[in-house]
């Protein structure tokens, strides 16, 4: 949920100091693709570690930390935390969203303040992380196993669908139940086509239905009970970080259709097969090889280098590179995958 970034200078009458206290956290969703695996840079702080952690409690989390007095800007603060925790130097970053939640980093209950967490998205080539935190590149489908349709409908949905339908049926009124059922249909495509960009909506529905660990944690269930009470798919993350990652995946899946962001994840030269596998990894669906190549050629997104590689196996494959002139030729030079049009 978004929150205002301009807190009151003075506490209103009747509002305690704790309630008026506001902290600003900075989090980075750093994405890379290795082969056919989309990855996010995750860190895991010890439960006792205090420096820079944002409510992780020993769980996996995004690189993050609070805005400090010495940070000139929000982005400068973000880069500082990322470099400190992972030794990753970021290039271009863009702001995703501002999330508002209870600040539980220092204390819980009535003494807890409020926090804003500003999430950023960065695209990089995978590098070996190091730093103050235990950082590692992890597949984003480890956190969202229901989002990978490259080999058909994910088996995890067979376990999720009955619980989601039961949640819709347990609504307090028929009208609310109908609204829940409609949301499930639109997000998960149980009765119609699935939209790969509705990543955040699917996570939010699972959260509302109490089918992700973060929801049970927020409701105050003991750790053991939260793990055994129900089927909880995907790896839990600290704070709102899995929600941030869901938004980042949705944003990327949308942007590759109208902006050439996918090339930020590619090496200087690559094959069309490597490009297709990267797009498939990000979108979570398989694409028809010849139709994909025809679209890339029609849009003149790449140009040949005159070289070839035999690293892919079989006969040598032609190497191409991103044709940057396309940025000046038209306003929306994305991959432009038509819905359902080039899938297998």
């Amino acid at each position: 949920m978004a929150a205002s970034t301009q807190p009151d200078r003075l506490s209103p009458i009747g509002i305690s100091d704790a309630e008026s206290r506001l902290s600003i956290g900075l989090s980075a969703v750093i994405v890379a693709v290795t082969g056919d695996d989309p990855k996010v840079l995750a860190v895991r702080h010890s439960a006792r570690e205090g420096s820079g952690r944002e409510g992780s409690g020993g769980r996996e989390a995004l690189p993050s930390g609070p805005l400090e007095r010495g940070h000139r800007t929000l982005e400068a603060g973000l880069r500082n935390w990322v470099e400190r925790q992972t030794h990753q130097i970021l290039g271009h970053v863009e702001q995703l969203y501002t999330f508002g939640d209870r600040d539980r980093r220092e204390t819980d209950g009535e003494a807890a303040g409020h926090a804003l967490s500003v999430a950023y998205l960065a695209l990089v080539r995978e590098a070996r992380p190091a730093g103050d935190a235990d950082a590692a590149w992890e597949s984003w489908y480890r956190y969202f196993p229901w989002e990978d349709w490259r080999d058909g409908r994910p088996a995890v949905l067979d376990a999720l669908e009955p619980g989601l339908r039961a949640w819709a049926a347990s609504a307090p009124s028929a009208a609310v139940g109908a609204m829940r059922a409609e949301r499930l249909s639109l997000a998960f495509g149980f009765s119609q086509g699935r939209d790969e960009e509705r990543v955040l909506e699917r996570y939010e529905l699972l959260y509302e239905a109490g089918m992700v660990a973060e929801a049970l944690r927020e409701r105050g269930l003991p750790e053991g009970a939260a793990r055994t009470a129900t089927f909880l798919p995907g790896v839990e993350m600290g704070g709102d970080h899995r929600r941030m990652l869901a938004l980042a995946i949705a944003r990327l899946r949308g942007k590759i259709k109208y902006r050439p962001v996918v090339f930020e994840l590619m090496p200087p030269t690559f094959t069309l097969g490597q490009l297709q596998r990267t797009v498939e990894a990000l979108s979570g669906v398989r694409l028809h090889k010849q139709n994909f190549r025809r679209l890339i050629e029609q849009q003149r997104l790449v140009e040949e280098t005159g070289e070839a590689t035999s690293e892919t196996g079989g006969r040598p494959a032609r190497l191409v590179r991103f044709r940057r002139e396309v940025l000046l030729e038209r306003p929306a030079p994305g991959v432009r995958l038509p819905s359902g049009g080039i899938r297998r």
Side-chain angles (χ1 to χ4, degrees):
M1 178 182 299
S4 170
T5 57
Q6 299 186 12
D8 294 334
R9 292 181 177 274
L10 299 176
S11 301
I13 297 176
I15 302 298
S16 69
D17 289 340
E19 290 175 314
S20 63
R21 187 171 62 247
L22 180 68
S23 65
I24 298 178
L26 307 167
S27 299
V29 181
I30 307 172
V31 174
V33 177
T34 301
D36 59 356
D37 195 10
K39 294 189 175 183
V40 62
L41 190 56
V43 299
R44 187 182 182 93
H45 304 270
S46 69
R48 293 179 297 176
E49 183 181 3
S51 176
R53 66 185 180 90
E54 188 182 278
S56 63
R59 304 176 184 90
E60 294 183 22
L62 301 170
S64 64
L67 180 67
E68 296 179 338
R69 186 179 298 274
H71 294 152
R72 183 174 55 86
T73 63
L74 293 175
E75 185 176 316
L78 176 85
R79 292 177 183 275
N80 177 270
W81 280 115
V82 169
E83 184 174 354
R84 187 187 310 182
Q85 293 176 355
T86 70
H87 286 184
Q88 178 77 51
I89 305 298
L90 298 182
H92 172 74
V93 299
E94 64 177 82
Q95 191 174 129
L96 272 175
Y97 203 67
T98 300
F99 295 79
D101 205 349
R102 294 288 288 177
D103 183 356
R104 302 182 186 278
R105 289 179 299 167
E106 298 178 356
T107 184
D108 291 329
E110 295 182 358
H114 286 270
L116 298 180
S117 189
V118 185
Y120 287 80
L121 171 65
L123 306 181
V124 300
R125 295 176 195 167
E126 185 173 346
R128 183 179 179 85
D132 294 341
D134 182 10
W137 290 100
E138 302 287 354
S139 172
W140 74 27
Y141 293 125
R142 184 167 173 262
Y143 307 98
F144 300 94
W146 56 86
E147 290 295 336
D148 189 359
W149 283 69
R150 287 174 293 176
D151 295 321
R153 174 186 163 100
V156 68
L157 285 178
D158 294 334
L160 290 177
E161 185 173 354
L164 288 168
R165 291 194 182 279
W167 169 73
S170 67
S173 69
V176 173
M179 181 179 65
R180 288 182 178 182
E182 181 180 6
R183 291 173 63 201
L184 289 177
S185 179
L186 289 172
F188 284 92
F190 290 147
S191 60
Q192 58 184 21
R194 167 184 166 275
D195 184 345
E196 59 266 18
E197 293 183 41
R198 294 180 180 268
V199 185
L200 182 59
E201 294 174 53
R202 286 187 280 273
Y203 175 77
E204 294 286 9
L205 283 166
L206 288 167
Y207 187 96
E208 290 179 39
M211 297 178 67
V212 291
E214 288 87 344
L216 301 186
R217 185 178 76 213
E218 179 65 20
R219 296 171 190 178
L221 291 183
E223 290 288 321
R227 299 301 177 273
T228 59
T230 187
F231 172 64
L232 304 175
V235 174
E236 177 185 6
M237 300 187 82
D240 278 349
H241 289 194
R242 194 151 47 146
R243 180 175 283 111
M244 295 177 189
L245 179 53
L247 178 58
I249 296 172
R251 178 75 59 85
L252 266 177
R253 286 181 171 181
K255 289 191 73 171
I256 60 176
K257 299 176 182 178
Y258 64 90
R259 298 298 300 168
V261 293
V262 66
F263 298 102
E264 298 292 333
L265 299 165
M266 304 300 297
T269 62
F270 49 87
T271 68
L272 290 178
Q274 290 171 332
L275 178 61
Q276 179 174 338
R277 288 194 297 274
T278 298
V279 174
E280 290 175 336
L282 296 173
S283 62
V285 296
R286 292 293 182 200
L287 306 173
H288 187 280
K289 179 179 177 180
Q290 296 305 321
N291 287 350
F292 175 80
R293 295 191 175 200
R294 189 176 300 113
L295 279 173
I296 296 298
E297 291 171 358
Q298 288 174 350
Q299 295 167 48
R300 301 181 64 217
L301 292 173
V302 300
E303 60 186 4
E304 293 193 16
T305 66
E307 301 177 346
T309 178
S310 58
E311 294 180 1
T312 57
R315 64 181 184 179
R318 294 176 300 170
L319 286 171
V320 299
R321 58 176 165 249
F322 174 52
R323 197 175 68 84
R324 294 198 172 273
E325 291 82 358
V326 76
L327 297 172
L328 303 175
E329 294 171 355
R330 58 180 185 269
V335 178
R336 298 192 183 186
L337 306 182
S339 179
I342 63 173
R343 289 161 176 74
R344 293 187 188 278

